Amino acid sequence: DAASGNLLVSNLNNIHDVLLRRHDPALYTRLEKLEIFPQLYGIRWLRLLFGREFAFRETLMLWDAIFADSCPPSLCDQLVVALLMALRDLLLRYEYQDAVQLLMKLPSNLSVTYCTQFALHLKDPVRFPKPSG
């Protein structure tokens, strides 16, 4: 449905232009310079609630956090930013092709627990301390 697709794209643009720019201006600028727009990876991430990005068991842990946080899920926006920031060092160093490959197939050692805790911190830093690691 075109309307829901447009909603998803505008939500992704908001995540990129507002949240990512606020939390990590350098990473935002790098992705802009490489012309890696959030639709490229974000549609896949959000449509399947990160279901293709992690092993099934980790995905279930992530979904628990997403739905425990609020319904409809709003933690997803911060999760996108947390994932990008978890990959920050590589994304700042990689050129376009490697960066896109990284975003389409996240590293298997990426910690779902860390990303979830970091997303909660981004959403509510008073209630959730920044995770170490």
Side-chain angles (χ1 to χ4, degrees), residues 66-74 123:
I66 289 170
F67 291 113
D69 177 63
S70 65
C71 217
S74 64
K123 185 173 181 190

Side-chain angles (χ1 to χ4, degrees), residues 17-42:
D17 295 336
V18 177
L19 294 178
L20 181 60
R21 184 187 280 176
R22 177 188 315 143
H23 292 298
D24 196 333
L27 183 55
Y28 167 82
T29 302
R30 179 67 181 159
L31 293 176
E32 283 286 302
K33 183 176 182 235
L34 291 175
E35 296 186 6
I36 297 177
F37 302 112
Q39 297 86 315
L40 193 63
Y41 54 88

Side-chain angles (χ1 to χ4, degrees), residues 1 8 16 21 27 39 47 88-89 100 112 123:
D1 168 69
L8 182 57
H16 181 76
R21 184 187 280 176
L27 183 55
Q39 297 86 315
R47 276 224 170 113
R88 176 181 207 278
D89 293 343
V100 169
V112 168
K123 185 173 181 190

Side-chain angles (χ1 to χ4, degrees), residues 16-122:
H16 181 76
D17 295 336
V18 177
L19 294 178
L20 181 60
R21 184 187 280 176
R22 177 188 315 143
H23 292 298
D24 196 333
L27 183 55
Y28 167 82
T29 302
R30 179 67 181 159
L31 293 176
E32 283 286 302
K33 183 176 182 235
L34 291 175
E35 296 186 6
I36 297 177
F37 302 112
Q39 297 86 315
L40 193 63
Y41 54 88
I43 288 175
R44 171 186 158 135
W45 289 4
L46 292 181
R47 276 224 170 113
L48 300 171
L49 279 181
F50 310 97
R52 285 176 58 191
E53 312 317 313
F54 298 103
F56 184 65
R57 185 181 177 89
E58 292 179 313
T59 301
L60 292 179
M61 288 173 28
L62 192 61
W63 289 352
D64 280 348
I66 289 170
F67 291 113
D69 177 63
S70 65
C71 217
S74 64
L75 187 62
C76 292
D77 294 1
Q78 284 80 16
L79 270 166
V80 169
V81 175
L83 286 171
L84 291 171
M85 290 175 74
L87 302 170
R88 176 181 207 278
D89 293 343
L90 295 173
L91 289 171
L92 289 175
R93 201 168 62 234
Y94 284 1
E95 291 306 320
Y96 179 87
Q97 188 171 347
D98 292 329
V100 169
Q101 240 173 343
L102 178 69
L103 293 169
M104 297 312 265
K105 183 163 180 18
L106 300 178
S108 57
N109 65 348
L110 191 60
S111 166
V112 168
T113 304
Y114 172 82
C115 290
T116 303
Q117 290 172 345
F118 194 56
L120 287 165
H121 170 73
L122 292 175

